[in-house]
Amino acid sequence: MFNIGDKVVYPMHGAGIIESIEEKEILGELKKYYVMRIPVGNMKVMIPTDNVESIGLREVVDEGIIGMVEEVLRNGDTPMSTNWNQRYRANLDKIRSGDIMAVADVVRNLVSRERQKGLSTGERKMLDNAMQILVSEIVLAREMQTDDAYDWLEDTLRNKNASM
């Protein structure tokens, strides 16, 4: 159970802060919901409290994990399928997992692929989404502004490529 003010990550949407816990009647059924505000994109999401485990809602990582994310972003790319559909599904599964390291892996690999061969429209959207998810957690973990988190991410990725 999470509380108001908790910083949490909602896979596929990103990190946010629980602003309230409300009861709503939807389709004749009364349920409790977390109302979460995601600062990146200024979005509000309602999450049924009884689905938290299956959804994969978790607490935002701490500063030490962000250091590990930086290592993932700087490391060499992991092998990806040359088949667009297989690559897309594998990356989508990583994003859906809600694991910040897996999302960082997707960002690093897609940025690298974009620089080498370009990305399809679908993969470009996936990269943008993965970056937003990653940045939203960095913003809350490091208590920084969104623009600063994007700058940090771009600098980290740029320095990775400069050292290769």
Side-chain angles (χ1 to χ4, degrees):
M1 189 79 182
F2 295 102
N3 298 304
I4 295 170
D6 285 353
K7 297 174 182 178
V8 297
V9 176
Y10 185 12
M12 296 298 295
H13 295 312
I17 300 169
I18 295 176
E19 289 189 330
S20 63
I21 302 171
E22 300 177 4
E23 281 191 345
K24 296 262 187 205
E25 185 176 329
I26 298 178
L27 299 173
E29 193 175 343
L30 193 63
K31 283 189 174 187
K32 265 189 174 177
Y33 292 87
Y34 292 120
V35 179
M36 181 176 101
R37 182 182 51 80
I38 300 174
V40 177
N42 202 22
M43 187 169 56
K44 277 197 179 182
V45 180
M46 292 182 67
I47 307 159
T49 59
D50 58 355
N51 288 1
V52 166
E53 266 189 48
S54 64
I55 290 170
L57 197 68
R58 64 168 174 80
E59 290 182 354
V60 167
V61 297
D62 62 25
E63 177 69 29
I65 301 296
I66 299 299
M68 293 168 64
V69 166
E70 187 171 4
E71 286 180 35
V72 168
L73 293 168
R74 289 184 191 274
N75 286 339
D77 306 334
T78 52
M80 291 189 298
S81 173
T82 55
N83 178 291
W84 180 90
N85 196 27
Q86 289 176 351
R87 190 172 59 244
Y88 187 87
R89 275 190 270 129
N91 284 332
L92 190 57
D93 287 344
K94 287 179 183 181
I95 294 170
R96 280 190 184 136
S97 76
D99 178 358
I100 191 169
M101 305 304 238
V103 175
D105 189 60
V106 170
V107 168
R108 181 199 61 222
N109 289 342
L110 288 178
V111 164
S112 179
R113 184 165 184 86
E114 180 179 44
R115 289 178 177 151
Q116 293 168 7
K117 300 180 180 184
L119 294 176
S120 66
T121 304
E123 282 184 310
R124 178 75 232 161
K125 285 182 183 178
M126 177 178 279
L127 174 57
D128 291 344
N129 186 44
M131 287 179 85
Q132 182 174 332
I133 291 168
L134 189 58
V135 163
S136 70
E137 190 157 5
I138 292 165
V139 162
L140 294 179
R142 287 197 160 164
E143 297 183 5
M144 58 194 311
Q145 296 297 314
T146 301
D147 290 344
D148 295 335
Y150 271 110
D151 289 345
W152 174 86
L153 179 58
E154 289 173 11
D155 288 346
T156 302
L157 291 165
R158 191 175 313 113
N159 290 337
K160 170 227 178 227
N161 288 316
S163 65
M164 289 179 69

